[in-house]
Amino acid sequence: MSDDRRAFFRALVRSDAGEPAAPPPEPAGLREEEIDRYSRQLVLPEWSEAAQLALREASVLIVGAGALGSPVAAYLAGAGVGRLGIVDSDAVELSNLHRQTLHFTPDLGAPKAESAAAKLRFLNPEIVVDPYPARFAPAMLEGADLVVDCSDSFATRYEVNAACCAAPTPLVEGGVLGLSGLVMSIRPGESACYRCAFPAPPPPGAASACAEAGVLGPAAGVIGSLQALEALKVLAELGGGLLGAFLQVELAGHAFVRVAVRRRPDCPDCGGA
Ligand SMILES: [Zn+2]
């Protein structure tokens, strides 16, 4: 970047960083390299140096490093989230590669959490990436400001929802199958949780998995990208997120339907929160 362009972005983030009257104390500002790296989001009217610094201070736990976790982790690493925890107990398989874009053919057999972490460190060496090659456990929420659930099983989804409600930790849920998907953001105690929206998992056999029903790579990419967008909205407090609602996405006909969801007072996960 030329000195002129750097000065332009520096002036821009300064002008956007707050009113002259009593700005709140904040950590040291962005370094020159960070202004270069994040210049295309810093220039957005919705973004600011304060938003960028909030991202730098944030810790996000991503559950699943597969079809949804790949775009989520790549976008959050690229955007400058300071710490990413990557949870996945599986190893990379050949049938993953058409949709799980953080893993390549030479990674076959490697733990997905490690394979993903290696690519994310290449993408952004400014951030810390902690791989957890294990199943999700509530103790992993320690220190997390946000969880993005990119798992592919209903059992894990309900387990993550319950743990986030108990913590409480904000959560972005997502799921994809075939050409359909769903995204939902949750602030426990304030907005409906995943179990408020879906009180019980589908009966065994009613919901097929990717292995039987199939999934197209770009469909997972759309849902994962929407989850990443929600995560940035939550972390930077941009507003306009999918709180108290979920987004049903039908990509065969390009239909996006926002469905409002109320909290259930008797919800076993968030009702007593
Ligand atoms: Zn609930």
Side-chain angles (χ1 to χ4, degrees):
M1 181 181 282
S2 71
D3 286 347
D4 282 355
R5 289 290 284 170
R6 189 172 288 115
F8 167 76
F9 283 115
R10 171 61 79 186
L12 186 79
V13 298
R14 279 200 180 130
S15 70
D16 217 19
E19 298 302 317
E26 55 184 29
L30 297 171
R31 288 176 289 105
E32 295 297 327
E33 185 179 328
E34 291 176 294
I35 292 176
D36 271 5
R37 182 179 286 273
Y38 308 120
S39 57
R40 297 307 188 270
Q41 60 199 41
L42 284 168
V43 78
L44 284 167
E46 294 85 356
W47 208 252
S48 64
E49 182 169 29
Q52 194 64 52
L53 290 168
L55 239 56
R56 193 174 74 180
E57 296 301 310
S59 175
V60 175
L61 188 74
I62 300 172
V63 182
L68 299 176
S70 288
V72 167
Y75 279 127
L76 296 190
V81 172
R83 180 188 168 277
L84 291 177
I86 310 290
V87 182
D88 202 308
S89 61
D90 290 340
V92 179
E93 297 178 18
L94 192 57
S95 62
N96 300 152
L97 301 185
H98 81 122
R99 69 191 186 283
Q100 303 189 11
T101 53
L102 281 179
H103 311 300
F104 308 139
T105 301
D107 301 317
L108 291 176
K112 283 188 191 177
E114 304 279 3
S115 166
K119 314 308 189 311
L120 298 169
R121 291 180 188 127
F122 274 128
L123 174 58
N124 192 347
E126 304 267 348
I127 67 168
V128 175
V129 184
D130 293 326
Y132 299 102
R135 285 188 47 74
F136 170 78
M140 293 172 179
L141 296 188
E142 180 73 34
D145 300 300
L146 174 72
V147 175
V148 186
D149 185 11
C150 302
S151 62
D152 59 357
S153 85
F154 283 100
T156 305
R157 218 163 276 153
Y158 282 101
E159 194 182 351
V160 170
N161 183 72
C164 285
C165 288
T169 305
L171 168 65
V172 177
E173 264 297 343
V176 66
L177 196 67
L179 288 169
S180 304
L182 175 146
V183 183
M184 179 177 185
S185 295
I186 296 147
R187 276 197 189 276
E190 295 174 32
S191 69
C193 79
Y194 184 74
R195 194 180 284 277
C196 288
F198 307 98
S208 37
C210 283
E212 300 95 53
V215 60
L216 280 181
V222 169
I223 301 301
S225 297
L226 288 168
Q227 285 183 278
L229 182 63
E230 283 300 300
L232 293 180
K233 287 179 183 175
V234 171
L235 293 170
E237 299 183 347
L238 297 189
L242 287 163
L243 289 168
F246 64 82
L247 190 67
Q248 180 74 44
V249 180
E250 301 289 350
L251 290 164
H254 294 291
F256 288 66
V257 180
R258 186 184 175 115
V259 181
V261 187
R262 283 212 182 92
R263 289 188 69 198
R264 292 171 186 263
D266 60 345
C267 174
D269 286 358
C270 77

